[in-house]
Amino acid sequence: MGEEAVNVSFHDDFLPIDEVDAFGCVQVPVPPIEPLMNEAEVLVLAAPIYYFTLCAQIQAPIQRMYCVNKPANVKKMALLMSSYSPNVYDGATAEFRDICNYWQVENMGFVSAKIDEQKTEETKQKVIDLVAKL
């Protein structure tokens, strides 16, 4: 899904998670993610699912924000997930739901796609429909 993501007409900051300064885990010189999370009104997490949960690179900024409550302006969140296997999303969706509840932001839903669904028109339409709700 990542590079095939739908282009939207509003301001966005797309941060490839493997290049982000996730509060000290720097791989390349880029601005830290925390200020961007604090400016955002909508936060869309896009994550590969390994071992039934969100990957560590997504976990790091979320866990860092936990100690200072929620990102300042976030009002809505959505989740995009992909994996090589079917039926591995329950843990990640439960965690996402709990984050939305804790931060008191609107859970706009999620789209999941296993490997053979990732580049289909059906999945693309699901992503478009989710983005339209944001």
Side-chain angles (χ1 to χ4, degrees):
M1 268 194 208
E3 293 179 7
E4 300 292 324
V6 176
N7 217 350
V8 291
S9 61
F10 51 86
H11 174 72
D12 64 346
D13 287 297
F14 178 77
L15 298 172
I17 201 68
D18 60 338
E19 297 177 2
V20 170
D21 176 355
F23 309 102
C25 302
V26 179
Q27 293 184 1
V28 295
V30 294
I33 194 172
E34 185 177 6
L36 294 173
M37 286 176 67
N38 276 322
E39 292 174 12
E41 292 181 15
V42 175
L43 185 59
V44 178
L45 304 177
I49 302 302
Y50 304 120
Y51 307 107
F52 308 97
T53 191
L54 300 173
C55 65
Q57 293 87 346
I58 294 287
Q59 293 279 357
I62 289 169
Q63 291 176 5
R64 175 62 183 218
M65 292 303 292
Y66 178 85
C67 69
V68 294
N69 205 2
K70 74 170 193 158
N73 296 312
V74 173
K75 294 172 181 46
K76 298 178 180 183
M77 289 179 63
L79 176 62
L80 305 175
M81 302 176 286
S82 66
S83 74
Y84 276 92
S85 304
N87 306 316
V88 295
Y89 305 106
D90 290 347
T93 55
E95 182 174 7
F96 173 71
R97 181 196 62 236
D98 291 346
I99 292 165
C100 290
N101 289 339
Y102 181 76
W103 284 350
Q104 298 178 346
V105 300
E106 189 174 356
N107 177 346
M108 300 307 294
F110 68 90
V111 174
S112 62
K114 62 185 177 65
I115 189 72
D116 61 339
E117 300 169 335
Q118 292 175 3
K119 296 182 179 180
T120 65
E121 286 300 315
E122 181 181 354
T123 298
K124 180 179 178 181
Q125 189 59 52
K126 288 178 183 178
V127 172
I128 290 168
D129 293 346
L130 179 62
V131 169
K133 295 186 334 185
L134 302 175

